[in-house]
Amino acid sequence: MNIPLIESGIACLTMPGQPQSGDRHLVQPYSNGLLVAVVDGLGHGELAAAAADLAVSTLIKHAGESVIALVKRCHIALRDTRGVVMALASFNELDRALTWMGIGNVEGLVLRAEGSPPSKHENLLLRGGVVGDQLPSLSASIIRLMQGDTLVFTTDGIRGDFAKDLSSSDPPQMMADQIIAKYSKGSDDALVLVARYLK
Ligand SMILES: [Mn+2]
């Protein structure tokens, strides 16, 4: 039987008083890999959501390209919008590796499957900027993956200290639900994406 590349979990909250969230996520397979991302449209409500939707559709269309190429494509596509911040990760099955990068106010880590609690983790390299407005110089990092390693991406509606609570033995959806329940600020849209490498 064909084992999927990842098991994912997603949880989100809309800022109180707003008709819709400006936070989006995507999980998009491509040949020999899979792209995941969280996108936060600047501000709140409809215009934020429109910018985030355009970023997501651009990423889906070109999912197999490098994360640097993807950010550049989004930057061009989003010029007439408010812009977004985003975290991107591309799982490459042939290399058993993850290439990732973050632009602006997002958080990301990979929780290692091995080792006794507290599990070790690697932090996403973040650069300041806004996709669609002001891009930093782009550089991605690559890390090798072991079966059970778990990627966590959050938007800035989640407090940054969630890492201390994570257990790599919890199912991804449970992890996402627990992070949003315990660490959402309540003053912004919030989104958590968890992706566990299964191969
Ligand atoms: Mn936000």
Side-chain angles (χ1 to χ4, degrees):
M1 212 179 87
N2 206 7
I3 303 167
L5 203 56
I6 64 161
E7 178 185 350
S8 62
I10 291 124
C12 54
L13 274 179
T14 300
M15 181 181 169
Q18 290 294 334
Q20 61 175 321
S21 176
D23 289 358
R24 295 286 185 274
H25 76 279
L26 80 99
V27 175
Q28 179 65 37
Y30 59 87
S31 55
N32 302 314
L34 184 134
L35 178 72
V36 302
V38 303
V39 177
D40 180 354
L42 257 63
H44 310 286
E46 268 174 43
L47 290 175
D53 284 338
L54 184 54
V56 166
S57 61
T58 304
L59 294 171
I60 287 173
K61 205 164 156 188
H62 303 283
E65 295 185 6
S66 75
V67 295
I68 290 177
L70 288 169
V71 169
K72 286 181 178 168
R73 279 195 188 276
C74 287
H75 183 60
I76 292 165
L78 291 168
R79 265 185 191 149
D80 294 330
T81 73
R82 291 182 170 191
V84 303
V85 296
M86 60 167 65
L88 294 176
S90 191
F91 290 86
N92 186 305
E93 188 175 359
L94 300 177
D95 296 345
R96 294 180 63 81
L98 179 78
T99 306
W100 59 343
M101 93 192 285
I103 312 280
N105 250 349
V106 283
E107 296 280 344
L109 60 81
V110 168
L111 189 70
R112 294 302 192 178
E114 299 238 305
S116 49
S119 307
K120 278 189 284 188
H121 68 266
E122 324 254 345
N123 284 307
L124 174 65
L125 180 67
L126 289 165
R127 308 240 166 190
V130 175
V131 180
D133 182 22
Q134 196 80 36
L135 271 195
S137 69
L138 300 178
S139 76
S141 318
I142 300 180
I143 58 174
R144 299 300 299 268
L145 293 172
M146 304 279 283
Q147 187 180 38
D149 285 348
T150 306
L151 170 78
V152 182
F153 275 165
T154 63
T155 62
D156 68 345
I158 302 289
R159 297 201 315 275
D161 56 339
F162 65 86
K164 62 181 193 296
D165 262 5
L166 299 178
S167 164
S168 57
S169 56
D170 287 340
Q173 187 59 52
M174 184 191 288
M175 288 173 69
D177 289 338
Q178 285 174 349
I179 291 169
I180 211 143
K182 211 164 157 191
Y183 293 98
S184 69
K185 293 175 181 169
S187 56
D188 195 355
D189 300 326
L191 187 145
V192 182
L193 181 148
V194 179
R196 177 162 297 149
Y197 191 67
L198 299 179
K199 295 256 176 160

